[in-house]
């Protein structure tokens, strides 16, 4: 069974770079990668926060949050 | 040709978690992943800094730095 890996972002330049170079790098044989853009699906902000995401871009892999560089805080995401 | 992906860390708990869950997740068909532990090879600190690494753990993929969560600053790494 593949491990779920969710890449959360908000369309910022830092996010796009991370999406292209890191989110696309995971092994498709072992990971089921989903890309979530909060600008399009703000209703998924709560789920990301529950997983421990405090800034974007971030990966949640197997339930653990990995913040990648810093594009925007979740407060910024919610405020925007 | 595979893209070079170097995972720099310093043995900290945050680093180990990222190594296990993220460094090992890259597609081996497309990425040549190297793990560098500064505690073992401090002579590689300069190369990481030139690539833009300011904290560990961090990935440098295709020359671009991606800082993952925050384990320690490079100042801490050099001071330790």
């Amino acid at each position: 069974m593949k491990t779920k890996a969710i890449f959360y972002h908000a369309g910022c330049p830092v996010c796009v770079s991370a999406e292209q170079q890191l989110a696309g790098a995971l092994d498709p044989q072992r990971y089921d990668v989903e890309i979530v853009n909060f600008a399009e699906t703000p209703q998924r902000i709560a789920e990301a926060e529950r997983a421990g995401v405090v800034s974007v871009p971030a990966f949640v892999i197997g339930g653990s949050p990995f913040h990648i560089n810093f594009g925007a805080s979740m407060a910024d995401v919610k405020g925007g």
Side-chain angles (χ1 to χ4, degrees), chain A:
Chain A
M1 196 180 124
K2 293 186 185 184
T3 299
K4 183 80 179 176
I6 309 175
F7 181 80
Y8 294 102
H9 74 101
C12 59
V14 169
C15 298
V16 172
S17 166
E19 179 182 347
Q20 292 173 339
Q21 295 195 63
L22 198 54
L26 265 58
D27 184 354
Q29 304 277 335
R30 294 179 289 143
Y31 294 87
D32 177 18
V33 178
E34 181 186 12
I35 310 287
V36 173
N37 183 345
F38 291 133
E40 295 166 0
T41 51
Q43 65 273 26
R44 298 196 58 178
I45 289 174
E47 128 203 331
E49 289 188 316
R50 279 195 300 274
V53 172
V54 297
S55 66
V56 288
F59 247 128
V60 173
I61 301 179
S64 301
F66 295 98
H67 303 92
I68 300 155
N69 289 340
F70 180 84
S73 69
M74 288 303 278
D76 291 334
V77 168
K78 288 188 281 191

